[in-house]
Amino acid sequence: MASTTITNAPNPNRRALLATGFALAYVVVAVLALILVDRNSLWYPLYNVFAYSMYVLSPILIISLPIPNPIKFGGLAILLLIVTPMLGIYNNSYMEIAVQICIFAGLALGLNIVVGFAGLLDLGYVAFFAVGAYLWAVFTSTSETVFKLNGWLVPGEMFWVFLVIGVFIAAFVGILLGLPVLRLRGDYLAIVTLGFGEVIRILARNANDPINITNGAQGLIGIGKPPVPDLLHGITNEAIRIMSLRVDNPGFVAQQLLFYLIAVGLLVLIIVISRRLEDSPIGRAWTAIREDEVAAKAMGVPLVRMKLAAFATGASFGGAIGVLYAAKQAFVDPTSFVLLQSIIILAMVIVGGMGSIRGVILGAIAMTLLNLHVLTNLSLQLNALRNVNFIVPIIDFPIRNWPNQLEPAKYQPLIFGLVLVLMMIFRPEGLMPAERRKLELKAEREESAGLDEQAAPQPKGDA
Amino acid sequence: MSDIVLHVENLHSYYGHIHALKGISVDVKKGEIVTLIGTNGAGKSTTLRTISGVLRPKRGTVTLKGQNITGMRPHEVAALGVSHVPEGRRIFPQLTVMENLDMGAWNVSDKKLIETRKEEVFTLFPRLRERINQLGGTLSGGEQQMLAIGRALMTRPEVLLLDEPSMGLAPVLVELIFDIIQKINKEQGTTILLVEQNALMALEIATRGYVLQTGEIVMNNDAKVLLKDERVRKAYLGEE
Amino acid sequence: AQDNVIKIASQTPLSGPQSVLGVSMRNAVELAIEQLSGPIEELGFKIEFVPYDDEAKPDKGTSNANLIVADESILVVIGHLNSGVALPASEVYNGSNLAMISPANTNPNITDRGYPTVSRVCGRDDLQGPTGAEFANQLGVKSVYVLHDTTAYGEGVARFFRQRAEELGITVLGFEGTEETANFDSLIQPILALNPEMVYFGGIYSQMGIFLSQARAQGFDGLFMGPDGTDSSEFAQLAGEAGVGTYYTSVAGPANIYPNAAQFIEDYKEKFGEPPQPFAAQAYDATAIALLGLQSAIEEAGGKPTREQVAKAIRAVTDYEGLTGTITFDANGDPEIGLYYVLQVVSADPAEWSNNELLATLEIPSPLTAAAAKEE
Amino acid sequence: MGAILTVTNLVKSFGGIAAVRDVSVNVEEGSISSIIGPNGAGKTTLFNLLTGIYKPDSGSIMFNGQSLVGKRPDQVNKAGMSRTFQNIRLFPSMTVIENVMVGMHSRLKISLFDAIVRTKKFYEQEAHVVEKAHRLLKFVGIDEHANEISRNLPYGDQRRIEVARALASDPKLVLLDEPTAGMNPQESTEAMNLFRKIRDELGVTVVLIEHDMRVVMGISEYIAVLDYGQKISEGTPNDVRNDPRVIEAYLGRRTTSTEAAQ
Amino acid sequence: MSTTATVQDRPVAPKANTLELVQQSWIYRFLLFPIGQMLIFIAGATILLTVIAYAIAIAFPAPNPNIDLVTQINRQLPGMIISGVSIGFVYSMIALGYTLVYGVLQFINFAHSELFMVGSATGFVVMKALEDNGVLKEWNPILMILFMLVCAMTVSGILAMLMERIAYRPLRGAPRLVPLITAIGISFFLIDFVRAGFAITRNEFNLTYPVRSLEMFATPVRVAIGETTVNVRTTSIMIIISAVIMLVILNYIVNGTKLGRGIRAVAQDQTMSGLLGVNVNLMISLTFLIGGAFGGAAGMLFGMNVGTITPYVGFLPGLKAFTAAVLGGIGNITGALLGGLTIGIVEAFLNGVLVYYPALGQRYTDILTFSVLILILIFRPTGILGKRVDEKV
Ligand SMILES: Nc1ncnc2c1ncn2[C@@H]1O[C@H](COP(=O)(O)OP(=O)(O)OP(=O)(O)O)[C@@H](O)[C@H]1O
Ligand SMILES: Nc1ncnc2c1ncn2[C@@H]1O[C@H](COP(=O)(O)OP(=O)(O)OP(=O)(O)O)[C@@H](O)[C@H]1O
Ligand SMILES: [Mg+2]
Ligand SMILES: [Mg+2]
């Protein structure tokens, strides 16, 4: 984009070289840290917190390197398509978190189109995710739904077709929702989307009576998975052999690997589409709408059509991810699509940096790690220390005396909330803000040093 | 120098990285009308905003009647008798005309006094009396400007900071506003610091003037002298 | 390095609104390991306990499940509270042949999938619900209003109750689900207007207790019945006098009859300073079975067993005399014979909870066992 | 040349306030015209009605042979009428050139598909858009600031961006609402030259609202005067300047005399 | 000053007549008018919904042959109205907090529902303490409720102020979504903090108000209408009375006092208010204090009414109240009031009728309530009372 400013470092070549060297060293250290550790050691959980978090952040590091694109993307491809799968086979939990990160990053990017690009606050984004998930689920679940009773089920091979159908259905639902409500402003839109999210969830929960479509609160079990190609089985077995691992069920690992590859593929596709839309007349129109709706429409931007495009695009990402999610979880029930989920996805967008693709991904990584990895492992660490009756040196405090009530596992929401608050207070522009937003925010905050000015530039005359 | 009401020395203000004021010094004596003129973006409004505390300066001091008020918050400055009518009038759109005036009297607790002052304002601007219960946001531009000035007068300020009171007004109203400024100054003895694009008219009613250019004062003299100055005439009065 | 360490994991909600139950289950597992791992330690192995928090969320549960299977020293999982979490998580466990014993998932689907790794020590909704209906019929109830909490558990058991009740000729005046946890006014109005002889609430004590106290305060004077989610002294606390006379079905033996159970409650209180909640006794039993299975697997393997061996050994445990009855698993992992009890609350005092009156005991075979019996 | 814009009996009221009552105006193609009048006379409201931001209560707007009543703002823009705002309304955190590029939106033919797949058409059009935006920025004289964030530019330059943005959709007519408000005399002289250039070089009809009589009288060929929502006078600058009703309601005696002196 | 005269060419407003004098009087503006408005609205809404309910009952008889819908509605009607109105007032009081803060800072304070929760928890703690000290039965019930109200309002109000000071003030000037996320963070934090607090000190977090031990609250008032007797809980009546009193007071504060004018001014233009001498930060703090206090009061009243609360109790009423605030026109105080009542009453009626159609049931109440919301917003995009601001360009 024309706006990006070029850093004028004294010697860009040397800088690039240095940075690349650093990144390389970083990745190598992270990978070694992950494979060389003794998994039975006392401090493993804590260690794991750092080692894996470090590793997961490496794609962002590589993306930010000031080196030519082919090299950058080559490196990234190696990292994502070779190193991560190997690590994932070596330790399945790494693959799991990687898949979850891809899923949430994809969702966050979808919401980013709506909130970050077009500036429409959508609090019910999870509805589109649900649409995608239920779409695949009802057609493959072994639960006793009308689909099964009437023999409408489809085999796992159809996954790919449904991925595409999911995109369109979700986009369609997005438009359906958008048509009546897009004339609403800001917070009015927020409440309606929130309501819509709840409506979809309530429908999913209740559409088991009188006709059983979704199996209601029981959820749909035994959802189909895309068949694993032989090649992938081969690769997995080979990898297991090379690393001389003892794996109980290689087929399961291969399946996980397949999901990982699909998730990465989808995510890359979503990133590319986001990028291209952002840097196009459509992206410019979205920004214009976000900044000044009246001026935008007076300058010839058709508001409703552009907003619908944003809704539909964001929704379609959610739909595709939903199909993947259903297949991966093999189980779908309404509790995965609660308001809280929408809010967490929104938090990813904002914590990362609204409108910044890289930032949003980072936000998704940070929040997913925090939720699934960091807090869990900290609890495990405490538990491990308790099991060996560890005595904290210096203060001579036996961990075992640590009251049961104060176990960190019980305080995950508390810690999570605190982290959110602190992150926003110290980095209100997000972890990796979009260039545009950074400027915007800086100006505003400097000014509010004295007193808070109106966000818009000084009105010059009125009436 | 005891008659200096407002003393501004070597003021530096920033908007982010933009260095908007680069060492401004201004003195205003009691009962004077002093005008700041200058091109767009010269920093005139910024000077007023720094004085009234909307912006905090990086360096420099603002002294009001011998008291250092640098970096005070706007409501504290206002309590000391400084009224600032900012650019763009800033009427409270959802308050009625009456309530807007009441807001002006925020620091006055004597109810009777408030009533008398309102009367004074209505005498100055009979048009406002007709619109007592109209919402501020629906007034026309000129009416809003009257209301903004009237609101600022509710405290009987010692110092009135006026930022482009004539902007966007019909010629007939421009005249009216200038007349009123003079009247306030003469009848109530209010000291006025006036920022104007309409340099000609401003200099005509002012005692002294300062010329600003990109954040610095480039000229500073009696209004009469400035009016005759070659450069001023050329740059700010639009003469070829 | 530590090849002699065997870990037992638990996965239950430790945070969030359902943490009361989840924590209690986790505590019971810890208690069981502490009390019962002696024989295994004699074999030279150390049992470690690793509790995980599934937050009652399927994603979190699945992701934890992957963490769990990645830790090779974990050989058994005790969990979960919610069927919605157990179903996807057990897919992961099963994928790695890791045995899961469920103390609380009464949803039929848990075992109906026929996984060799997945067993449960609790009853099934499709047996417990009907038990309640049968009992209501015995009481001579003619009309009933059925409520549930819209969860897989609550709705499941309520449906089976309704189905059986209709078969028995009881008029079902209404069937409603609610997410509400505090203000039940709008639920109560139509019930008062319909005036059913009994209200059946498929859910958990925290919701039922509040509902019942409000319903009584507004003049509902019919009978009230719930499933095993009722079985907590907290119910008496919440419902107060309104709760006295409440019927509930349970799969856990009442403490005042089973000396083991009484002892368990005492030990639990002593260790954790509070009474155990519903499903704690089942969690204790599940752990005990896990330990038995481990022991025989170790003995068989002559060293550290594989997960597959452990899962097999657990299934092979027969006639385990637990707090909640005698358990032998069928091929799907259900207890062959489920014991279902019907009890009645006798006092508003929580301390009196263990004295609740046992009205009936039913032995119901699991579907698989029943089918086998029919064939013979 | 005939009238490019014909407004007949336009009426608009807000609640009880009749902002525009029965206004009829003709704008000749290729002319520079002004609308003046006291504050609150309904000038801006008239612009808002023309550009579809407000819907008229009654009356007709014929522009370039088609009726604009009931058209949305973006449709009006596409039909060839573009505008600036009384309170500058740029997209504050977009760069200068991006602002102008947004102005071209109604002339672009890009679908989501083109943007995602990056068809040849897309690249060609983007190249054209950038080139044309630079041309317009040169035209108004701020091309050197093309890549700056627009909110950081001084006020006068922001006005120019607005003009360039308004011209980006190749309009036949531009409406400029107080384009020289807050400018000093020297700057407004430059602005006047720019408006002439718009008409002379681009052949775009110009209609402005102004309170600065020097500008109004200096460049308008035709002036309409509104007061309380009604047209009270119209004609050449000379006609209007000497109309007693205009002097009474709007000009005031002193302005008339100072201006005469210049 | 010859020019002054030329501007004054519009007729002067006519002299006020007696009706206008009455309308300007204090009693009318701050007592009769707001209460009248509430009554008329409640009456209108219930009559409308009653008619609809009967129409539905006659047009679509219940599928269950054992049930005659018209009789059912006859029996339920008084109960539905009272429960709808009382929960409606609870929503209104919470919605006010959303609306006040929104009016001043233009952001949705998602943590507001937790102020409600903290209020209800405070009410519990106070009442429990009274019981433990044996004074519960001795105190005059009205006095006791007042005392509990004051405690709940103080705690929630101060908490709201702290929240603003710590988590929102540093973010002023940041994009609007940023404080939204901090608010969500605070919400998580507060819920878990309260849960942990009670879990540690009392080993449980189901908090049962000791209302049952009080004669006055334990037994409902029985009102016989025709052959049906209706049980009305004293606590419901208490909610309605307290809410009306408090709403009248709030209306007076906001529209009739200098403080209120200051708050409204800050809501519209902070800089300008500062320039006129208003301590902007103080006004914002006070706004949070008032909003928080109302949330706290609602929480305590709600707690007494339902008997048992948990740290998670804020979510649903919070969501409904947020909806109510938007429905009424966010930023508009009367709007919040009417929005809350609308949602409460509509919900009560939907619940009361839907229950008889097994294919629908109460589980669809929320969907239908949202449909009502969407429908209203489609026709009035800024809520019932929101001003239709065609943005002035
Ligand atoms: N809110 C703001 N953010 C960033 N820069 C600003 C802001 N306000 C003013 N500036 C910059 O500060 C400088 C001085 O502006 P100021 O408004 O004081 O000028 P001025 O002399 O009042 O001009 P004008 O006649 O246009 O009102 C200008 O370069 C302007 O671009
Ligand atoms: N959206 C609106 N709602 C209510 N009243 C409005 C609205 N827009 C304009 N008005 C009223 O219509 C009248 C005409 O306003 P308009 O802005 O058109 O005046 P103007 O001629 O442009 O004045 P100025 O020269 O001060 O800009 C004014 O009384 C104004 O208050
Ligand atoms: Mg200025
Ligand atoms: Mg105008």
Side-chain angles (χ1 to χ4, degrees), chain A residues 39 96 205 218 371 383 412, chain C residues 49 55 60 66 70 179:
Chain A
R39 279 204 236 165
E96 166 67 15
R205 199 189 62 207
Q218 306 296 326
N371 215 359
N383 193 65
Q412 296 201 359
Chain C
F49 171 46
E55 296 177 20
K60 178 78 185 191
N66 276 292
E179 279 180 16

Side-chain angles (χ1 to χ4, degrees), chain C residues 340-354:
Chain C
Y340 295 82
Y341 308 90
V342 182
L343 297 100
Q344 186 172 30
V345 180
V346 294
S347 162
D349 181 0
E352 293 287 302
W353 189 258
S354 51

Side-chain angles (χ1 to χ4, degrees), chain A residues 463, chain D residues 44 86 177-178:
Chain D
T44 303
Q86 182 169 358
D177 196 347
E178 299 197 26

Side-chain angles (χ1 to χ4, degrees), chain C residues 176 185 187 193 218 234 238, chain E residues 75 204 212 231 233 362:
Chain C
E176 270 302 334
D185 265 5
L187 214 57
Q218 298 198 36
E234 187 74 351
L238 293 171
Chain E
R75 286 191 202 151
E204 56 164 335
R212 281 187 221 113
N231 297 302
R233 275 185 291 172
Q362 290 189 345

Side-chain angles (χ1 to χ4, degrees), chain E residues 42-54:
Chain E
I42 293 172
T46 42
I47 291 172
L48 180 71
L49 286 168
T50 307
V51 170
I52 295 178
Y54 280 115

Side-chain angles (χ1 to χ4, degrees), chain B residues 33-227:
Chain B
I33 298 182
V34 171
T35 180
L36 299 180
I37 57 176
T39 45
N40 270 298
K44 307 181 292 292
S45 305
T46 309
T47 309
L48 297 196
R49 298 158 119 220
T50 314
I51 293 173
S52 62
V54 175
L55 266 177
R56 212 162 275 184
K58 280 260 158 72
R59 252 190 295 154
T61 54
V62 181
T63 319
L64 183 73
K65 293 180 291 175
Q67 183 185 358
N68 185 348
I69 61 164
T70 324
M72 273 192 185
R73 300 185 51 78
H75 68 270
E76 295 163 336
V77 177
L80 295 173
V82 179
S83 264
H84 179 178
V85 181
E87 258 174 328
R89 321 191 245 269
R90 310 288 278 263
I91 295 301
F92 298 111
Q94 304 288 334
L95 296 190
T96 61
V97 168
M98 191 60 112
E99 285 175 319
N100 265 287
L101 289 177
D102 283 331
M103 282 310 298
W106 185 260
N107 284 329
V108 185
S109 39
D110 181 348
K111 286 228 168 83
K112 265 216 190 90
L113 197 59
I114 296 181
E115 286 313 309
T116 19
R117 296 225 175 122
K118 271 187 203 157
E119 274 312 309
E120 287 172 19
V121 170
F122 290 143
T123 322
L124 275 175
F125 306 105
R127 180 90 174 232
L128 291 182
R129 196 197 297 272
E130 298 165 25
R131 315 242 153 181
I132 289 179
N133 290 320
Q134 190 171 340
L135 289 187
T138 64
L139 293 177
S140 83
E143 291 159 357
Q144 288 193 354
Q145 189 69 58
M146 295 179 211
L147 182 55
I149 296 176
R151 184 175 63 182
L153 293 178
M154 286 299 289
T155 41
R156 270 296 181 108
E158 285 186 58
V159 180
L160 182 59
L161 311 177
L162 286 175
D163 199 345
E164 305 212 21
S166 77
M167 184 162 77
L169 293 191
V172 65
L173 281 175
V174 176
E175 281 171 32
L176 175 67
I177 296 283
F178 273 95
D179 284 343
I180 287 168
I181 293 171
Q182 271 179 296
K183 198 163 148 189
I184 297 164
N185 173 255
K186 287 224 181 65
E187 292 178 6
Q188 308 187 349
T190 312
T191 308
I192 294 174
L193 183 56
L194 172 69
V195 165
E196 258 299 338
Q197 274 310 340
N198 196 334
L200 180 66
M201 290 183 85
L203 287 172
E204 271 173 5
I205 65 166
T207 346
R208 290 186 300 115
Y210 289 79
V211 180
L212 266 75
Q213 215 165 41
T214 56
E216 282 168 298
I217 290 183
V218 291
M219 238 187 273
N220 153 23
N221 216 324
D222 273 358
K224 301 278 162 317
V225 181
L226 287 179
L227 255 181

Side-chain angles (χ1 to χ4, degrees), chain A residues 357-373:
Chain A
I357 293 174
R358 210 175 291 172
V360 169
I361 296 173
L362 184 60
I365 292 179
M367 305 260 299
T368 314
L369 272 183
L370 188 69
N371 215 359
L372 296 184
H373 183 65

